[in-house]
Amino acid sequence: MNILAIESSCDETAAAVIADGRRIRSNVVASQAELHAETGGIVPEVAARAHLQVLTPIIRQALRDAECNWDDLDAVAATAGPGLPGALLVGLNAARGVAFARGLPFIPVDHIEGHVRANWLDSEPPPLPALALVVSGGHSELLLMTEAGTLERLGGTRDDAAGEAFDKVARLLGLGYPGGPVVSQLALEATDRTLRLPRAWLGDTDDFSFSGLKTAVLHTVQQDPAPPAAEVAWAFEESVADVLSKKAARIAEREGVASLLVAGGVAANRRIRELVRQRSRVPVFIPPPELCTDNAAMIGAAAAVHTDQAIRPEAPIDIDPTPYRSKVRR
Ligand code: KG4
Ligand code: ZN
């Protein structure tokens, strides 16, 4: 079974062809990072229009790379939320258009579930039940994946998402966008590793908070003299990695899960990958960095487990931009 999947929820325009729910036949991602670097962050309208400009060639490229033609497709999937409304509409409607023209079923996919399902791509499936830590630019969620594969939200950030904190700290340090990779790279250059920034543990809750840390970074860079930027970047990354890894490992143990899955753009972070692997008592699964950041392959993997939710492309449908935290409760 071949699924053509499309992702356009944020600032990556992506299309992929996934075979049998697991095998990546093609995976094309066009990042708008350069466009948004000018403004130091995403302007939703600008993102939506950029998706519109590049999506058709990206879909063609995904079919070409997969050595696939339209007749080889069995279903079409697209991210239906959460995300930027205008951006979501571009990918969703393009996917419905293809499905309608080819008489194929259409599968709407939840972006967060997509991130989690990246752990199934081109690899052995993780054992369930699992604890999933999804950390990206827009989300920091702790989810329990049951044996049946459904997701229940345990907790998440109360303010900034982990990636958002990286992006804002990058701006405070005068670095580019997206902040994660540049902050992480700069942290490697820190020679003095004694600066300590606060950690918000929030007691025994399953929640996170990163806004206090961001304010601490602001106060640190305003000191006179301020520590070198590399040391601030290092201390910030340590604080985020410490909290995420400790909480995830502890909650995985408490829930008695068979594996710990980490996903989302921030899961590409070297230090977070290292600390989670060090601290977890259950097997850890983290996709390769290129499948952590937004892509369509993960949307295809999630669509494959929801073929029963396929709809006729002409059926009425809406996007669901609502953040995850307000939708899924235990
Ligand atoms: O999953 P993603 O591509 O998009 C969303 O769904 O939000 O995540 C993007 C986020 C950005 O905030 C970016 O700064 C962060 O992931 N990120 C990283 C790294 N690579 C990307 N954060 C920390 N370390 C990295 N290596
Ligand atoms: Zn994402």
Side-chain angles (χ1 to χ4, degrees):
M1 172 166 179
N2 290 316
I3 298 179
L4 170 67
I6 292 170
E7 154 65 36
S8 71
S9 68
C10 194
D11 61 341
E12 263 87 27
T13 317
V17 177
I18 300 302
D20 307 320
R22 301 243 312 267
R23 196 163 56 80
I24 302 177
R25 291 188 59 167
S26 66
N27 187 24
V28 186
V29 182
S31 172
Q32 302 175 1
E34 246 170 68
L35 185 64
H36 302 305
E38 285 170 31
T39 40
I42 299 167
V43 178
E45 189 94 353
V46 173
R49 293 175 71 172
H51 285 308
L52 193 58
Q53 282 166 352
V54 301
L55 185 54
T56 307
I58 297 280
I59 294 172
R60 282 191 192 285
Q61 185 67 42
L63 287 170
R64 234 184 346 253
D65 287 359
E67 295 178 3
C68 206
N69 54 48
W70 300 108
D71 293 333
D72 298 325
L73 299 176
D74 300 293
V76 186
T79 307
L84 305 169
L88 286 166
L89 285 172
V90 175
L92 188 97
N93 271 326
R96 288 172 80 207
V98 171
F100 181 72
R102 304 300 311 176
L104 294 171
F106 172 71
I107 308 169
V109 173
D110 178 284
H111 182 79
I112 302 299
E113 186 169 359
H115 273 302
V116 177
R117 286 281 168 185
N119 280 296
W120 272 253
L121 289 165
D122 283 344
S123 60
E124 279 304 304
L128 299 178
L131 179 73
L133 171 67
V134 182
V135 272
S136 72
H139 308 271
S140 299
E141 313 284 350
L142 267 169
L143 310 159
L144 196 64
M145 188 179 248
T146 64
E147 255 160 289
T150 55
L151 289 169
E152 295 171 2
R153 187 176 188 272
L154 298 179
T157 189
R158 293 188 183 173
D159 38 60
D160 291 354
E164 193 179 351
F166 269 96
D167 295 336
K168 287 178 178 168
V169 164
R171 213 179 316 169
L172 288 177
L173 295 175
L175 308 169
Y177 173 87
V182 276
V183 168
S184 192
Q185 193 58 38
L186 185 61
L188 290 174
E189 291 170 26
T191 41
D192 185 340
R193 302 188 164 187
T194 48
L195 177 67
R196 195 177 161 86
L197 291 171
R199 281 118 169 95
W201 295 108
L202 306 180
D204 281 338
T205 67
D206 294 352
D207 286 341
F208 303 111
S209 165
F210 297 106
S211 67
L213 173 60
K214 182 187 63 191
T215 308
V217 169
L218 177 64
H219 289 156
T220 307
V221 298
Q222 283 173 342
Q223 278 168 17
D224 191 18
E231 285 172 30
V232 180
W234 175 83
F236 165 77
E237 187 180 50
E238 277 307 297
S239 171
V240 175
D242 189 21
V243 173
L244 289 177
S245 60
K246 234 179 230 162
K247 280 209 150 186
R250 192 186 68 208
I251 295 164
E253 213 173 325
R254 184 194 73 201
E255 295 289 328
V257 292
S259 60
L260 171 57
L261 318 177
V262 191
V266 180
N269 183 274
R270 183 193 49 82
R271 185 62 176 147
I272 293 169
R273 299 168 81 91
E274 184 176 80
L275 274 187
V276 171
R277 290 208 167 99
Q278 233 173 61
R279 289 174 169 168
S280 174
R281 300 233 181 127
V282 299
V284 173
F285 292 76
I286 315 176
E290 67 277 13
L291 294 177
C292 287
T293 44
D294 285 350
N295 63 84
M298 69 185 198
I299 301 304
V305 296
H306 289 304
T307 48
D308 58 324
Q309 287 167 24
I311 54 175
R312 285 180 300 113
E314 63 272 37
I317 184 176
D318 198 3
I319 50 159
D320 187 0
T322 331
Y324 218 62
R325 58 176 163 269
S326 47
K327 291 201 295 204
V328 186
R329 292 245 176 243
R330 229 187 163 178

